[in-house]
Amino acid sequence: MPTINPVTTPPPLLIVSDIDGTLITSEERVPGRLWAVLGRAVDKQCAVALATGRPHRWLFPVLEQLPVRPVCATANGAVLYDPAEDAILRVRALAPDTMRDVVARARAALGERGEPLSVAAERCGTSAFDPEEDLFVVSPRYVHTWEAQGYAVRPEDEVIAEPAVKLLLRNERMTSAQMYEVIAPALDPRVAHLTYSMPEGLLEVAAPGVTKQVAVADLARRHGVPRERVVCFGDMPNDVEMLRWAGLGVAMGNAAPEVKRAADRVTGTNDECGVAQVLEEWF
């Protein structure tokens, strides 16, 4: 068990949690203990939000387990989505020219090591219930890192021909950290933001400056909550920016080492209900 430092800050007015590896267990369930404490927080007028790398079309199996339908930052902050109204509130997309440049630079960097690269694009659409084949498009040699759901296979030039909220770079022979180490130096952060949220050779590209932190700041403004009264929970490198920004940034016990270093404190793992362990100290 990690050392869990006691809460010394005032109760939050906004709770923001990552989903996978944080809010839900390894079995993709929201524990009853966490459901209950979130309900108590909402009863005390504390706002709740989710900030995830997932697209908005993958939210509802999680939302159905919660006592509230919060506004969500999806695609690593590129999209703000209101599930209660099935409404896209804000989009920050990658332009096709930017994606072509990123793919060319990433391929050149990996090519020096003889490593292949395939790509996919997550598009926003207008609803979480748009046909999945319109929202997720992959190149012919793309190897899925999760159980394949709805998607369309298109030539690479068609994959990156339309604006996308997330560009995925895939190499199944490397870890995500290895890919990041090779590709990150080749990309100008003023052109695109590079991160990852799983270890299996998958990097996630967003428009420049687009991170969960930007979306959480948007959410705090919408709720009229000052930064110091925001608590954020996360476990992977795509959570680092929001944990550093929040008044209290909490890393899960199962978090990557760099996430724990970025956080103000470390709680239990997602399977130990680490989010609830912290929230119960207030609610």
Side-chain angles (χ1 to χ4, degrees):
M1 280 285 294
T3 300
I4 304 175
N5 303 319
V7 166
T8 57
T9 56
L13 298 174
L14 173 61
I15 299 164
V16 183
S17 180
D18 171 52
I19 293 178
D20 298 285
T22 303
L23 186 79
I24 60 176
T25 67
S26 313
E27 281 136 16
E28 302 194 358
R29 303 302 300 168
V30 174
R33 176 182 176 184
L34 180 52
W35 185 94
V37 72
L38 287 173
R40 293 195 295 271
V42 170
D43 288 343
K44 293 192 175 182
Q45 309 305 308
C46 181
V48 174
L50 302 181
T52 178
R54 291 187 183 210
H56 50 287
R57 59 195 172 88
W58 283 4
L59 290 176
F60 285 90
V62 176
L63 294 171
E64 289 164 358
Q65 302 178 58
L66 296 178
V68 64
R69 282 288 171 98
V71 171
C72 301
T74 69
N76 288 332
V79 178
L80 278 185
Y81 175 71
D82 181 355
E85 302 293 334
D86 186 33
I88 306 296
L89 303 179
R90 191 262 291 143
V91 180
R92 291 182 170 127
L94 280 159
D97 285 347
T98 300
M99 290 189 283
R100 281 189 282 269
D101 179 63
V102 168
V103 171
R105 291 178 181 274
R107 182 162 284 130
L110 287 175
E112 294 177 1
R113 298 167 55 113
E115 293 290 350
L117 182 75
S118 56
V119 303
E122 184 70 49
R123 297 168 182 167
C124 185
T126 59
S127 163
F129 305 101
D130 287 343
E132 289 193 298
E133 295 79 6
D134 295 341
L135 299 179
F136 190 51
V137 186
V138 308
S139 60
R141 291 192 296 275
Y142 186 85
V143 178
H144 294 272
T145 54
W146 52 81
E147 183 178 350
Q149 299 184 28
Y151 62 94
V153 180
R154 297 285 186 269
E156 184 176 293
D157 61 343
E158 293 184 21
V159 171
I160 56 179
E162 298 180 25
V165 292
K166 189 193 291 187
L167 172 68
L168 302 177
L169 307 177
R170 179 79 167 110
N171 180 309
E172 65 275 16
R173 304 194 313 205
M174 302 173 71
T175 67
S176 299
Q178 289 168 338
M179 287 183 71
Y180 187 89
E181 183 178 359
V182 173
I183 293 174
L187 300 185
D188 185 340
R190 295 171 298 182
V191 174
H193 178 75
L194 186 69
T195 190
Y196 59 94
S197 60
M198 57 178 61
E200 298 89 354
L202 185 71
L203 299 186
E204 303 166 37
V205 185
V210 172
T211 67
K212 291 185 181 184
Q213 178 263 308
V214 172
V216 171
D218 281 353
L219 289 169
R221 283 191 293 271
R222 285 172 180 268
H223 289 289
V225 174
R227 173 179 177 178
E228 60 269 18
R229 300 295 293 275
V230 179
V231 59
C232 291
F233 297 86
D235 72 309
M236 288 299 285
N238 63 330
D239 297 315
V240 164
E241 291 88 356
M242 74 170 182
L243 296 188
R244 286 177 173 159
W245 180 86
L248 181 67
V250 183
M252 305 303 291
N254 51 288
E258 59 266 43
V259 180
K260 292 180 179 178
R261 290 193 295 268
D264 298 304
R265 62 176 285 189
V266 178
T267 185
T269 69
N270 59 321
D271 287 329
E272 294 166 340
C273 221
V275 174
Q277 289 177 18
V278 175
L279 296 182
E280 285 168 350
E281 297 177 37
W282 289 302
F283 304 109

